[in-house]
Amino acid sequence: MALLSKHISTDPELKEKKEEQWIEHFTALNEGAFISDSQLDELTETNNQVIEALQPDTSELQARLKSAISSAVASGMPKGGHSFDKWVALIVNGFEVNQPALLDDLSKLRHEKCRQWVEKMPDHVLGLVSKTISQQGLAVTSKLLERLIAQVRAAAAELLEERAHHIRDAGQINHTVSQAMGPASSMNAIPVNHPTVANALHQAELAFYWSSMADLKESASELMLDFAESFLVPLQATLSRGLGAPRDSPSNPNLPDNTQNPYAGWPDFSQKPVASRLYPAPNESMLIDAKDFPAEFDMLVEQTVSDPSVTAAKIVVDEVLMGSRSPELSSLADNQSWDVLTLRQLWIPKNRHYQIRQAANQPAMFGFAVNHMDYLEFTKKWLKVPGRAFRSFMDQTIPNYLKASGNQALQSERSKKFLGALNSALQMADPLVDIDETLLAAAHGEIGRRAQCSGIPIDSSDPMREAIDNMLVAAGHDPKGKWYIDGNKAAMSKSIEIVSQMDSSMGPIPMSSMMEPILQEWTKASSSYSSRATFMTFRRGRTLAEAIPAHPNQWQAMLTGWFVGRLLNQLENDKTDPSYKDKGPKVSIWCSPSSGLATFPYPLHSARIVNNVDDLPAAVLDSLIVAMADCHSTGSLAPLAPYNRLLELGGVDGSFEDLENWVRSGVVQQSAPLPRPERAGTPAMTPHERQDACAAYLDELLVEFRAKIAGLDSHADSRTYPISWELRTEIEYALDAGIKAVRSIEPEKEL
């Protein structure tokens, strides 16, 4: 990128020079211009940028000095003039009497100049540094600042040496005035209009000048040194620290806020790839193809810069890196502007005379954007600069796009593209999910679809209107519906959203795109115990009660149905299959005279082999998701048959028909298994005896289950508990519901 690699842009593989040599090369090449542009070029007496900036106009003060001395020497002057010694004494005395007040006045003027310099220089230097970063890169700019700091320090020391010379020159006024009057020294009286008098007065003015220059250079030295140490040094340190961070920033997997970093590195503009995330989704259609983005971008850059004599891309990079310090962007509002390099704390000089506002002195502090996401935001702001081609491009609406600024050929081309995109959108507007129509009909019957459109901004008089109406009819929609918009809403339209949805809600079973991947993953993992255990470990993010894919009332009824089925001997737990050690038991339930036994998912959706029958109801409910997915392998709802039988046995509709028939009459459905006598009694018993036997069995199960749960180690990891622990409350409720159902059955009486 330009910020970090500008110095090796012509030799990226470093075949000609080492990187340090390139940095030194460009530093030496730009040092003179950088120091001159800094307005801090003060080394040697030929460079006086700071002195000239701080020096006030002294002409009025010099005139006052000359006038004051002239008045002093004229007072009491003999008719022929003063003697040589008298002239020297009067001029030197007049100088010494008036100079302190004049120097005080001059210092006030100089301090004002210093304050103006203090106010101006930070922004000036930051602007220069920002520009240099954009043009030469960060490494060269950092090195140039090092050179500038060294030169400013040397210049500050040199100014103090020059000050000493000026003080010595000013201190020789007695000698210089005597020397100026020397040609008239033999005269007894020297008139005021004698040339030597003018020369002597000029020497007094020179002495005042040297005194003022001594004070000026002292101030300049002090101010430059303060600026170097408290502004330039922290600035250079900030740039130096910033050399590595921007380069590494895109390679970090996470952003500073711990969210995922969406970028793998800085873009390679030589190839101009379009990131895959910028391509439209499968249900989106764009008027400008994503593959045309690079060409469109280049064209907009050229239009934005609009100067064929310069390289547009270079101007863009300069503006992005300079931000508000670019002359073209300096007038942006605060919420639209940006800066790569920011001043976080003002520099306040040590000398209170130089401070704009009285405060304790403090060094400047700076911020430098090192995160690649910051540069993304800077670029976004650049794209949105008002009045430019990019902003106009992004702000354009569909009607403006179709108008094509009156270009008829382009209008025709864009109209065809618009009609094609709209037709694609209509075709893709179905819900973004694959639906198995057979399962949909089996699970829900016929469910219609309806479409909603945000509005097509095409007026009724537009030639495209008829073509669009025909599209709508072909897609099964009524064009007289709410498909079009007009007025201001149409004028501001930038996109068209078409959403189709089912007329009513539906369960997940018909959704092929959701259930088939579940089935595929489970089929791969379920074939062996080891792969199933790995697949299931920490797979479920919620407790089982929250993870069963059914309404709580329904699966609670299934639990009750499980224990009723166990009571009536309608459940089978086959452990004889050779695959038992790897897949666990085959669990089945008798469903009806026509279908007989129906098997629950095999293997069960469980990491462990379910050895204990107490864990079977929880494992069976956990496997409901597998049964739902199995519907897609059979193309029917048959895999749900055992769960529907649990609902029947559990009295989901308020009726416990099988249980009631057994308790009242001692009968079961045709071909259904006969209940075990020790659990449910026999047909020969009275209804009351069968009722007592059934209630006693369920009560026994309840007592045993409670004892088992109470016996678990309370200090152990709950993840090691049996799966039934997760449904302990619901299992107890199911057994209690079964007992109540048994006790609520009243024997039939004859009329």
Side-chain angles (χ1 to χ4, degrees):
M1 67 179 285
L3 185 72
L4 302 173
S5 307
K6 189 81 170 182
H7 54 286
I8 58 170
S9 58
T10 59
D11 182 23
E13 297 180 5
L14 300 176
K15 293 180 179 179
E16 298 178 31
K17 291 183 174 71
K18 294 180 180 179
E19 185 169 9
E20 295 77 10
Q21 291 175 319
W22 277 119
I23 294 173
E24 181 62 33
H25 170 78
F26 285 109
T27 300
L29 197 63
N30 291 279
E31 182 178 356
F34 182 79
I35 291 175
S36 177
D37 291 343
S38 73
Q39 297 181 7
L40 290 166
D41 194 0
E42 191 61 42
L43 193 61
T44 75
E45 291 193 19
T46 58
N47 300 309
N48 297 298
Q49 288 184 326
V50 178
I51 289 297
E52 290 173 358
L54 301 183
Q55 186 171 25
D57 182 6
T58 62
S59 58
E60 191 269 336
L61 295 174
Q62 287 177 314
R64 282 170 52 191
L65 176 65
K66 183 176 181 181
S67 175
I69 295 175
S70 297
S71 296
V73 298
S75 177
M77 180 186 297
K79 186 176 182 180
H82 295 299
S83 65
F84 171 82
D85 292 335
K86 187 68 172 179
W87 272 113
V88 172
L90 287 172
I91 291 174
V92 171
N93 183 67
F95 170 81
E96 292 176 344
V97 167
N98 288 280
Q99 176 176 256
L102 293 172
L103 288 177
D104 285 344
D105 290 345
L106 182 58
S107 68
K108 293 175 183 177
L109 297 175
R110 187 172 61 253
H111 292 161
E112 177 59 30
K113 286 280 191 177
C114 290
R115 287 190 289 271
Q116 293 173 4
W117 192 89
V118 167
E119 186 172 25
K120 182 195 76 168
M121 283 302 293
D123 276 344
H124 171 75
V125 170
L126 285 179
L128 172 63
V129 169
S130 298
K131 179 180 178 181
T132 308
I133 288 173
S134 71
Q135 295 179 346
Q136 304 299 331
L138 190 57
V140 172
T141 305
S142 178
K143 187 66 71 174
L144 285 170
L145 267 175
E146 282 185 16
R147 302 279 178 89
L148 178 62
I149 291 167
Q151 184 152 326
V152 169
R153 286 170 174 165
E158 184 182 74
L159 286 172
L160 291 181
E161 293 176 4
E162 293 173 6
R163 171 183 177 271
H165 292 308
H166 297 329
I167 291 174
R168 185 173 62 251
D169 290 341
Q172 294 179 349
I173 185 172
N174 196 74
H175 171 72
T176 57
V177 169
S178 296
Q179 195 173 37
M181 296 290 297
S185 60
S186 60
M187 297 174 62
N188 292 326
I190 305 172
V192 69
N193 58 355
H194 195 279
T196 58
V197 173
N199 289 338
L201 290 174
H202 179 64
Q203 291 302 318
E205 291 181 66
L206 279 178
F208 176 75
Y209 170 76
W210 293 125
S211 294
S212 68
M213 288 300 295
D215 290 349
L216 174 62
K217 292 188 175 181
E218 181 180 27
S219 294
S221 175
E222 179 185 9
L223 197 52
M224 288 180 69
L225 196 58
D226 194 349
F227 186 68
E229 304 303 333
S230 297
F231 189 91
L232 297 178
V233 169
L235 176 58
Q236 195 280 329
T238 299
L239 298 191
S240 181
R241 287 193 298 270
L243 283 170
R247 194 187 306 274
D248 300 336
S249 174
S251 62
N252 295 328
N254 292 329
L255 300 177
D257 62 359
N258 259 348
T259 57
Q260 185 178 3
N261 180 6
Y263 300 98
W266 293 103
D268 180 3
F269 291 107
S270 62
Q271 299 183 11
K272 298 182 180 177
V274 177
S276 58
R277 61 188 177 79
L278 297 179
Y279 280 84
N283 63 337
E284 288 183 325
S285 185
M286 299 178 67
L287 292 176
I288 299 175
D289 198 316
K291 64 180 174 52
D292 295 332
F293 283 2
E296 196 81 27
F297 183 90
D298 289 345
M299 180 187 71
L300 289 168
V301 166
E302 296 290 343
Q303 291 176 356
T304 297
V305 174
S306 188
D307 185 351
S309 66
V310 300
T311 304
K314 180 181 180 299
I315 300 300
V316 172
V317 171
D318 286 350
E319 289 189 355
V320 170
L321 292 180
M322 289 183 69
S324 66
R325 294 188 173 85
S326 168
E328 292 77 11
L329 305 176
S330 59
S331 60
L332 288 176
D334 289 344
N335 63 343
Q336 296 174 320
S337 65
W338 71 93
D339 285 297
V340 173
L341 179 62
T342 56
L343 179 62
R344 292 182 175 174
Q345 178 173 287
L346 291 171
W347 163 56
I348 299 179
K350 297 176 182 177
N351 191 322
R352 298 178 72 84
H353 293 300
Y354 308 152
Q355 295 177 1
I356 301 169
R357 287 171 294 277
Q358 297 296 297
N361 71 286
Q362 66 180 19
M365 292 178 63
F366 302 92
F368 188 79
V370 297
N371 191 300
H372 61 291
M373 298 300 290
D374 292 333
Y375 289 91
L376 178 62
E377 291 304 311
F378 299 157
T379 304
K380 287 180 180 178
K381 287 188 174 183
W382 183 88
L383 294 173
K384 295 177 182 177
V385 172
R388 289 185 163 188
F390 260 108
R391 178 64 178 267
S392 299
F393 176 81
M394 292 189 294
D395 286 348
Q396 73 177 320
T397 62
I398 291 176
N400 286 339
Y401 172 83
L402 294 173
K403 289 176 183 176
S405 301
N407 185 324
Q408 292 187 352
L410 192 55
Q411 282 179 357
S412 176
E413 178 187 335
R414 289 183 174 182
S415 294
K416 291 178 182 178
K417 189 178 290 186
F418 175 77
L419 290 172
L422 184 59
N423 190 43
S424 296
L426 287 169
Q427 302 303 318
M428 297 184 295
D430 278 344
L432 195 60
V433 59
D434 293 333
I435 296 176
D436 187 310
E437 296 294 339
T438 301
L439 289 175
L440 178 63
H444 299 284
E446 185 176 346
I447 298 180
R449 294 172 173 81
R450 64 178 181 270
Q452 291 181 337
C453 180
S454 62
I456 304 172
I458 299 298
D459 189 80
S460 58
S461 61
D462 194 294
M464 287 191 290
R465 185 67 172 257
E466 183 179 356
I468 296 173
D469 285 349
N470 293 336
M471 282 182 199
L472 292 172
V473 172
H477 303 295
D478 182 3
K480 294 181 180 179
K482 296 181 179 179
W483 286 94
Y484 297 96
I485 56 173
D486 53 22
N488 289 335
K489 190 174 181 181
M492 299 302 292
S493 176
K494 293 185 177 182
S495 64
I496 302 171
E497 294 181 9
I498 304 172
V499 179
S500 291
Q501 60 188 48
M502 311 300 289
D503 282 336
S504 63
S505 60
M506 56 181 284
I509 291 176
M511 299 180 187
S512 304
S513 54
M514 182 172 76
M515 301 308 295
E516 287 185 354
I518 294 174
L519 178 62
Q520 292 171 7
E521 288 297 314
W522 173 245
T523 301
K524 291 178 189 175
S526 64
S527 58
S528 68
Y529 172 77
S530 58
S531 62
R532 192 166 67 254
T534 302
F535 177 83
M536 292 293 294
T537 301
F538 306 130
R539 189 78 174 189
R540 180 159 38 84
R542 294 178 178 270
T543 61
L544 181 55
E546 296 174 297
I548 299 170
H551 192 282
N553 291 345
Q554 289 197 314
W555 65 256
Q556 182 66 62
M558 291 180 194
L559 268 181
T560 302
W562 173 271
F563 291 109
V564 171
R566 189 172 174 186
L567 170 68
L568 298 179
N569 195 32
Q570 295 193 7
L571 291 166
E572 285 194 6
N573 183 24
D574 183 6
K575 298 183 180 181
T576 62
D577 193 282
S579 63
Y580 172 75
K581 288 185 178 180
D582 214 29
K583 292 189 175 182
K586 283 186 179 180
V587 183
S588 306
I589 187 170
W590 186 88
C591 288
S592 69
S594 60
S595 59
L597 286 171
T599 304
F600 289 99
Y602 179 72
L604 292 171
H605 189 252
S606 173
R608 307 173 189 171
I609 301 296
V610 186
N611 295 310
N612 195 313
V613 293
D614 289 339
D615 289 330
L616 281 176
V620 163
L621 289 180
D622 196 13
S623 303
L624 177 56
I625 183 65
V626 176
M628 295 168 71
D630 281 339
C631 292
H632 285 269
S633 63
T634 64
S636 71
L637 301 180
L640 296 178
Y643 291 94
N644 288 326
R645 179 56 178 162
L646 288 180
L647 287 172
E648 291 175 3
L649 292 172
V652 71
D653 59 357
S655 170
F656 291 85
E657 184 177 353
D658 288 75
L659 181 61
E660 290 172 356
N661 288 338
W662 173 254
V663 170
R664 287 193 181 112
S665 308
V667 298
V668 296
Q669 293 189 54
Q670 181 184 350
S671 75
L674 197 66
R676 298 182 189 179
E678 67 274 16
R679 296 183 180 181
T682 67
M685 290 180 175
T686 66
H688 183 71
E689 288 173 332
R690 282 192 296 273
Q691 187 177 48
D692 286 344
C694 290
Y697 175 68
L698 294 176
D699 189 63
E700 180 185 349
L701 290 181
L702 178 58
V703 171
E704 289 178 354
F705 182 75
R706 284 174 174 166
K708 180 178 180 178
I709 296 299
L712 294 174
D713 183 359
S714 61
H715 298 292
D717 187 342
S718 62
R719 289 174 296 184
T720 64
Y721 291 172
I723 191 173
S724 57
W725 176 83
E726 292 190 61
L727 297 182
R728 57 196 180 281
T729 302
E730 291 80 3
I731 289 175
E732 289 184 19
Y733 181 86
L735 284 164
D736 189 59
I739 294 169
K740 289 178 180 177
V742 169
R743 289 299 184 191
S744 67
I745 299 172
E746 296 181 358
E748 291 183 346
K749 296 181 180 180
E750 295 184 4
L751 184 61

